[in-house]
Amino acid sequence: MEFTFEDISGAEIARRTAVYEPLTAAVRDLIDAVIRTEVNDDALSDAQGAISDVVALLREKQIPGSYGVRHTADRQGMAWGNAVIGLRNAIAPPLTVIRAGVDDPVVAWAEVTLGAAYEGPPGHVHGGVVSLLFDQLLGEAASMDGLPNYTGTLTVRYLRPTPLGRIRMEAQTPERSGRKKIARATMTVDGVRTAEAEGVFIVPRGMSTLRPLSDGND
Amino acid sequence: MEFTFEDISGAEIARRTAVYEPLTAAVRDLIDAVIRTEVNDDALSDAQGAISDVVALLREKQIPGSYGVRHTADRQGMAWGNAVIGLRNAIAPPLTVIRAGVDDPVVAWAEVTLGAAYEGPPGHVHGGVVSLLFDQLLGEAASMDGLPNYTGTLTVRYLRPTPLGRIRMEAQTPERSGRKKIARATMTVDGVRTAEAEGVFIVPRGMSTLRPLSDGND
């Protein structure tokens, strides 16, 4: 599993963000429109043709595989292809995880609006989408101590259906015991808890006694 | 939570499928292209403009909210907006769950190819996507007995990273005890198990003694 080093400046990251963020937002809008449209077959056919033309244009020059996870010389991470937080991935809501501090009772949190594309039961968030978002938040919360880890187990308890719309997620300070870290988080809608999750994360062998390189907030 | 009754024929479903399936496939292709493209800023800007035009076209007539879950008079379900299996949802891979039979040791299975849009760790499937797919498969396996149920708990164990590409998932015959059903499933890549999951499903109060209306295969 290789992380990619890309030697670019903060200014170049800002330039790329300004270009890709609205492009990806337009694709998110398109995903929603394709689910909800009621225009006639001719219009749908025109839409399909126009989309295929855009795809051909974008594919004139492209990387051979997936985006990967890149980082710059000053350790700024670019997980722009990530399915949950990716700046260039229209599947991602995207979730923006706000990191408080490792000593804060809520170490990390996120708020996001989930529309028609995240539906499972009528008018409600797909249970799998709930778990998808928890996996990302818990993973970020667990790695805030600066020690790398991989997910061992994810458990999600569904307390009630989560309506589509604005949701809030909060992760508590993870517990650590040897090579194991346990992180917990909740999902709420208008202050009502709809789901909670627990992730067990494992620090790779030989790394648990390392002194963290940073405060984990990078 | 309301399911929508839509009184259309099998022929009309086939007609709509023929129109929406390639349209949604084009949007999936676009999601992938936006992640992987390396064309210049002018081309990206042109792409964004063209996509916005398509969105405007599709939004000329649309339903006010999410797609919901619809079914026809002969009980054919249309979860076309579903985030995992939705025919009109470009976020969905889509997963097509094949139902064997309730007495088959593997009651339901699915194979799907996951590309750049489903990435978490470099070159690998996002752990949350693994849980997203399990949630859908387990829910379908659990409801094959014809008794409705909602998800109580989902637990996913990650045995090793799942590489992007073709994956296979299999669900075993669920155990049932009173109002509780327990379903289990595995994920494999080239025959190697990468993850396994367990879902606890609850039959709504007052429904567990109902005789199933069908064999659950509709």
Side-chain angles (χ1 to χ4, degrees), chain A residues 38-93:
Chain A
E38 293 196 298
V39 298
N40 64 35
D41 286 7
D42 285 345
L44 293 173
S45 175
D46 289 348
Q48 187 188 325
I51 294 166
S52 297
D53 289 347
V54 173
V55 171
L57 168 71
L58 294 174
R59 291 213 191 281
E60 275 174 18
K61 190 178 173 202
Q62 65 177 9
I63 57 172
S66 60
Y67 188 85
V69 179
R70 310 182 188 184
H71 67 94
T72 63
D74 61 358
R75 301 188 54 178
Q76 181 162 353
M78 291 186 295
W80 287 5
N82 185 287
V84 180
I85 60 168
L87 179 77
R88 286 175 60 167
N89 190 336
I91 282 183

Side-chain angles (χ1 to χ4, degrees), chain A residues 179-217:
Chain A
R179 289 177 53 218
K180 195 187 276 190
K181 303 179 199 173
I182 298 179
R184 294 186 180 87
T186 61
M187 180 176 289
T188 53
V189 173
D190 291 334
V192 177
R193 189 178 295 193
T194 62
E196 49 196 33
E198 181 181 294
V200 178
F201 297 87
I202 313 294
V203 179
R205 218 176 287 274
M207 302 197 84
S208 60
T209 53
L210 285 181
R211 194 195 161 100
L213 286 169
S214 72
D215 65 358
N217 279 312

